[in-house]
């Protein structure tokens, strides 16, 4: 079983829709949760960074963490064609041997149709 | 501010050839990482470094070597390339353990 599970999609929605992207994880030691966005043929870029449970909002994006269920979500409101990308969740536990070692989900490929 | 720069961007190797991928960052970050990204497998950590002169193995280190002689550079070497090493390679860096990663734009490697 993978430590982090993410539905690879692909997911296709119309412009303006609310998008929900999700990841589940098995390691209860994970404390820090991130979402990265990766455009085609580019490197991932950090989108959201949260610690512990709860919600964090940044513009049209909301990251949600439910540690009791080992479940994290990213919501995109008023989705735009420019949001079309692959979204990767990532998480880590306490520093190990001095380095933060992120564990990534497979990534969900999202397309927003005009 | 260039961030994380990877060279080359593309490369085709024959089985058994060797090559070195270069990663350079200009953000004075302590930590640097090499990942490979394959369809259906996500990002997998190959090797990482917690500072100049240090290296450590990640999840899939076999067939790769690394060096961090200068703080700003992290080199990934393939001594004898195999078709299984066909992948997209990403370098990343972070300031400390409490920061997210900054990724480079990747190197697309094909081994034939």
């Amino acid at each position: 079983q993978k430590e982090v599970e993410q539905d690879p999609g692909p997911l296709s929605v119309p412009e303006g829709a609310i998008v929900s992207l999700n990841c589940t994880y098995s390691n209860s030691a994970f404390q820090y949760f991130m979402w990265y966005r990766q455009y085609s043929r580019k490197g991932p870029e950090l989108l959201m960074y949260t610690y512990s449970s709860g919600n964090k909002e940044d513009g049209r994006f909301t990251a949600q963490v439910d540690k009791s269920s080992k479940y994290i979500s990213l919501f995109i409101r008023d989705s735009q064609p420019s949001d079309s990308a692959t979204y990767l969740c990532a998480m880590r536990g306490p520093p190990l041997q001095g380095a933060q070692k992120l564990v990534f989900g497979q990534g969900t490929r999202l397309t927003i149709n005009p | 501010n260039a961030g994380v720069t990877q060279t080359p961007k593309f490369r085709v190797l024959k089985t058994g050839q060797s090559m070195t991928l270069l990663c350079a960052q200009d953000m004075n970050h302590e930590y640097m990482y090499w990942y490979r990204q394959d369809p259906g497998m996500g990002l997998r950590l190959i090797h990482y470094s917690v500072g100049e002169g240090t290296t450590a193995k990640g999840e899939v280190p076999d067939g790769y070597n690394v060096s961090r002689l200068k703080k700003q550079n992290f080199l990934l070497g393939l001594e004898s390339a195999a078709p299984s090493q066909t992948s997209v390679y990403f370098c990343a860096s972070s300031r400390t353990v409490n920061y997210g990663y900054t990724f480079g734009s990747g190197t697309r490697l094909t081994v034939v």
Side-chain angles (χ1 to χ4, degrees):
Chain A
Q1 181 188 7
K2 293 181 179 178
E3 279 191 289
V4 179
E5 297 278 359
Q6 183 177 9
D7 187 340
L11 181 62
S12 181
V13 301
E15 183 176 355
I18 296 175
V19 176
S20 173
L21 304 168
N22 312 294
C23 288
T24 59
Y25 62 95
S26 58
N27 190 341
S28 58
F30 287 148
Q31 297 177 346
Y32 300 87
F33 305 92
M34 302 166 209
W35 286 95
Y36 285 81
R37 178 175 61 195
Q38 184 177 19
Y39 290 115
S40 180
R41 296 185 173 268
K42 299 289 186 182
E45 55 177 334
L46 183 63
L47 196 59
M48 299 285 282
Y49 188 128
T50 57
Y51 171 72
S52 193
S53 290
N55 292 357
K56 181 176 182 179
E57 190 172 318
D58 184 0
R60 297 184 294 108
F61 298 89
T62 299
Q64 192 173 77
V65 175
D66 182 348
K67 292 185 75 177
S68 62
S69 302
K70 298 189 180 68
Y71 189 88
I72 69 170
S73 300
L74 178 70
F75 297 97
I76 307 174
R77 292 185 301 279
D78 187 25
S79 56
Q80 304 294 311
S82 59
D83 295 327
S84 298
T86 296
Y87 290 80
L88 300 102
C89 63
M91 51 198 78
R92 66 172 178 89
L96 178 68
Q97 295 180 341
Q100 55 162 322
K101 294 170 70 174
L102 284 180
V103 180
F104 286 85
Q106 283 185 277
T108 299
R109 187 174 171 186
L110 173 67
T111 301
I112 309 296
N113 301 303
Chain B
N1 190 344
V4 177
T5 302
Q6 290 184 235
T7 53
K9 296 190 183 306
F10 304 92
R11 185 72 184 268
V12 178
L13 282 181
K14 294 183 179 179
T15 298
Q17 286 185 320
S18 63
M19 77 164 295
T20 300
L21 284 68
L22 173 63
C23 176
Q25 53 95 1
D26 61 1
M27 298 170 287
N28 202 34
H29 285 177
E30 288 293 333
Y31 302 94
M32 296 188 75
Y33 313 83
W34 275 107
Y35 279 87
R36 60 178 289 173
Q37 187 175 39
D38 303 288
M41 302 296 290
L43 284 160
R44 293 182 291 169
L45 182 65
I46 305 171
H47 285 281
Y48 64 97
S49 168
V50 301
E52 181 179 309
T54 75
T55 63
K57 295 180 179 179
E59 181 186 358
V60 288
D62 293 342
Y64 306 95
N65 57 75
V66 288
S67 64
R68 182 114 181 256
L69 299 179
K70 293 183 178 180
K71 185 177 183 178
Q72 63 267 34
N73 296 335
F74 196 28
L75 279 63
L76 177 70
L78 286 73
E79 289 186 347
S80 180
S84 61
Q85 294 177 304
T86 293
S87 186
V88 181
Y89 291 86
F90 287 102
C91 176
S93 70
S94 62
R95 186 181 305 174
T96 70
V97 293
N98 293 324
Y99 281 78
Y101 294 178
T102 300
F103 281 86
S105 57
T107 295
R108 292 182 174 275
L109 176 66
T110 301
V111 182
V112 297

